[in-house]
């Protein structure tokens, strides 16, 4: 599985056996800028690589914007924190006004209130025997 370091950059806990990448969005407490992860080339590359390998890719709050920048939300259903809905639409994503949205191997959530449901969707996806 994966984790996020203090800067929000995804790092593998077990490079060879990871199941996916999960990204959180709000870095405001550390940076004073809630959109700090957007435009982060490392985060975009990591998300794209995981998606290209067929791994589970998840993002919550503003982090779905990183998935949009990675080009993996084109024609995919997704959600995001309300202040960044345009970011999804501009990427060609199909915005869905729900707290958690799953489309194939991509799971997005729209903010802190969705954390529990987001975690449950990730758990269910990882424990599922059927292909994503």
């Amino acid at each position: 599985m994966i984790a996020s370091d203090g800067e929000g950059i995804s790092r593998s806990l077990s490079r060879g056996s990871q199941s996916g990448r999960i990204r959180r969005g709000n870095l405001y407490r550390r940076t004073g800028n809630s959109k700090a992860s957007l435009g982060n080339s490392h985060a975009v590359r990591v998300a794209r690589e995981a998606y290209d390998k067929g791994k589970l890719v998840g993002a919550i709050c503003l982090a779905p914007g990183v998935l949009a920048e990675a080009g993996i939300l084109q024609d995919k259903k997704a959600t995001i924190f309300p202040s960044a809905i345009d970011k999804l639409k501009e990427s060609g994503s199909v915005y869905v006004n729900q707290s958690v949205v799953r489309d194939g191997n991509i799971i997005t959530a729209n903010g802190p209130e969705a954390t529990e449901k987001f975690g449950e969707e990730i758990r269910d996806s990882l424990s599922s025997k059927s292909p994503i």
Side-chain angles (χ1 to χ4, degrees), residues 57-117:
V57 178
I60 188 169
C61 200
L62 290 171
V66 174
L67 305 186
E69 290 176 358
I72 63 177
L73 294 181
Q74 179 75 36
D75 300 320
K76 300 283 186 182
K77 295 177 195 169
T79 193
I80 196 167
F81 194 74
S83 67
I85 292 169
D86 288 344
K87 179 85 171 167
L88 286 190
K89 291 179 178 179
E90 291 166 5
S91 75
S93 175
V94 178
Y95 171 73
V96 179
N97 186 17
Q98 293 179 350
S99 60
V100 177
V101 175
R102 180 176 176 189
D103 190 334
N105 64 328
I106 300 171
I107 301 171
T108 55
N110 66 1
E113 295 80 17
T115 302
E116 186 173 343
K117 189 173 178 184

Side-chain angles (χ1 to χ4, degrees), residues 1-4 10-18 20-21:
M1 199 51 205
I2 60 87
S4 260
S10 298
R11 295 187 191 268
S12 174
L13 296 178
S14 176
R15 284 244 183 247
S17 62
Q18 65 200 25
R21 297 278 179 182

